[in-house]
Amino acid sequence: MTEGGLLVATDAVRRHDPAIKAFASDNYAGVHPEVLEAIALANGGHQVAYGDDVYSAALADLFRRHFGDRAEAFPVFNGTAANVVALRSMCAPWEAVICPETAHINTDEGGAPEVTGGLKLLTVPTEDGKLTPEAIDRYARGLGDVHRAQPRVVSISNATELGTVYTPDELAAICDRAHELGLLVHVDGARLTNAAAALDVPLRAITTDVGVDVVSFGGTKIGLLFGEAVVVLNPAAARGLPYLRKTLMQLPSKMRFVAVQFEALLAGDLWLRNARRANAMARRLADKVRDLPRVTVVRPVEANAVFAVLPRDVADRLRKRYRFYNWSDRQAGTGGEDLVEVRWMCAFDTTEEDVDAFAAALAEELGH
């Protein structure tokens, strides 16, 4: 049914229980109500396609407010695309990217950087998912050697895939060393808002102000329906990005609906409220499970992820009640018990009640 040209009813059927939450990924969460309202606000009538609309024009100023006067944002559909488009614009075909071996671009993007971006990844083993200037020195080898892929970009994630957060000082040290070597710095910021909230600093304090050249800025994990953005902080670092975005099939035609979502997120403090909530719920979860028998929180809880080791059979039973993912196998416990490391993620819509119910379910499965 329509009224005044607008849809006011639908034949779609709700096929899930919105009260059920999971701890598998912050991508499982829905869309923040303020973002849905913004999408509706941008609907109706016609606007110029492919980013020449009034919402995209306003977005340019908004990103400069958060990242500095030179910042230029290029919205894309998803995070893998943001990383591939960003890194491809920073590298010539013979150049390579130094990154932690746990980096999302290495482990969870289906080979897209290699297959679609044509990029060589030089992966660095780390204990906590974080690179150091010393690690960059060890892997920035072969400069000028025609037989080796030439290191060109250092790519880090903040927050990292292991839930750790780079401080401004750590980031400045990485950027300084990379630039001394003639390298550029890219940040996979799928959870950049969580990192900034954890550190209680503005977004530019862990990007522009420390010398980062290009950022993949995440929106989906923090409340958007879809959309990420490549944010260029150093115009000399990214070549042909407007053309690459189109070539790599990442130029949304109805760009206004991506732009207005970012406006809802960044014009006020929604990004910070959402990130603080997710981080706080992860800390609460860690506190709730830390003293349970046969459960060990094994990594620092700095953003919105909790990593714990527990018996595999307990994890399997708990997963029938709440979805979450195994992270890695672990050596058997002292009693020969089969152990597994799991990852529990909290989202912007995770509540204290959700956390408490999950922790109680874990205690039940442990027989506690």
Side-chain angles (χ1 to χ4, degrees):
M1 180 189 303
T2 60
E3 182 177 301
L6 297 177
L7 185 69
V8 295
T10 178
D11 292 328
V13 177
R14 172 167 273 167
R15 301 183 185 277
H16 79 291
D17 182 351
I20 295 176
K21 301 289 181 62
F23 289 82
S25 171
D26 34 10
N27 280 323
Y28 277 38
V31 183
H32 193 280
E34 292 179 35
V35 174
L36 283 176
E37 290 179 12
I39 292 172
L41 182 72
N43 200 26
H46 287 200
Q47 276 287 303
V48 182
Y50 298 108
D52 290 325
D53 59 276
V54 294
Y55 295 94
S56 296
L59 187 66
D61 291 335
L62 193 55
F63 270 98
R64 284 192 286 269
R65 185 199 309 173
H66 281 281
F67 290 95
D69 292 341
R70 295 201 305 169
E72 188 173 5
F74 298 85
V76 297
F77 286 109
N78 56 46
T80 297
N83 286 333
V84 172
V85 171
L87 292 171
R88 191 69 194 86
S89 72
M90 300 170 79
C91 289
W94 57 87
E95 292 175 331
V97 177
I98 299 171
C99 64
E101 64 182 6
T102 54
H104 202 271
I105 57 174
N106 184 50
T107 62
D108 288 290
E109 294 187 340
E114 295 94 339
V115 175
T116 304
L119 298 162
K120 171 68 174 176
L121 301 181
L122 304 174
T123 60
V124 182
T126 69
E127 289 294 323
D128 57 2
K130 293 161 68 170
L131 286 184
T132 63
E134 293 73 23
I136 294 170
D137 284 340
R138 290 196 303 272
Y139 282 78
R141 299 191 303 261
L143 290 169
D145 184 347
V146 72
H147 300 286
R148 292 181 177 269
Q150 296 295 287
R152 177 57 176 164
V153 176
V154 173
S155 180
I156 60 176
S157 302
N158 204 17
T160 74
E161 287 72 18
L162 298 183
T164 49
V165 171
Y166 287 92
T167 67
D169 286 345
E170 289 173 327
L171 292 165
I174 287 172
C175 291
D176 288 348
R177 186 58 186 142
H179 293 156
E180 287 170 2
L181 293 169
L183 309 180
L184 301 170
V185 178
H186 164 260
V187 169
D188 180 345
R191 297 185 177 95
L192 188 71
T193 54
N194 298 94
L199 296 164
D200 195 24
V201 298
L203 293 168
R204 65 172 296 152
I206 51 174
T207 53
T208 312
D209 293 348
V210 295
V212 171
D213 296 292
V214 180
V215 176
S216 298
F217 182 74
T220 310
K221 291 179 171 62
I222 205 66
L224 270 57
L225 173 61
F226 71 95
E228 318 283 301
V230 178
V231 186
V232 178
L233 307 177
N234 171 11
R239 294 164 293 179
L241 207 150
Y243 307 101
L244 274 172
R245 180 172 57 166
K246 178 66 174 180
T247 300
L248 294 174
M249 301 166 284
Q250 289 299 317
L251 179 64
S253 59
K254 297 187 179 181
M255 184 75 81
R256 60 170 150 160
F257 297 107
V258 185
V260 77
Q261 292 182 76
F262 277 113
E263 184 174 358
L265 189 70
L266 295 172
D269 67 346
L270 181 60
W271 70 271
L272 186 57
R273 284 186 279 129
N274 284 357
R276 282 176 172 168
R277 162 70 76 84
N279 292 358
M281 292 304 100
R283 293 192 300 271
R284 183 182 183 90
L285 177 56
D287 290 341
K288 288 285 182 179
V289 305
R290 201 181 305 274
D291 294 330
L292 290 175
R294 300 152 66 206
V295 176
T296 305
V297 176
V298 291
R299 302 185 190 277
V301 181
E302 296 179 354
N304 61 323
V306 178
F307 291 83
V309 170
L310 66 159
R312 187 182 300 274
D313 61 334
V314 173
D316 290 342
R317 291 197 303 271
L318 182 61
R319 194 177 291 106
K320 294 178 181 178
R321 302 168 66 173
Y322 291 91
R323 289 191 65 94
F324 59 89
Y325 295 118
N326 288 351
W327 187 256
S328 65
D329 294 332
R330 284 298 184 110
Q331 290 183 342
T334 55
E337 196 168 37
D338 189 13
L339 301 178
V340 64
E341 183 179 353
V342 300
R343 186 193 72 169
W344 297 321
M345 296 296 302
C346 294
F348 73 88
D349 62 348
T350 304
T351 66
E352 293 183 355
E353 292 76 16
D354 296 329
V355 169
D356 295 351
F358 180 81
L362 173 57
E364 288 177 13
E365 296 300 343
L366 288 162
H368 183 59

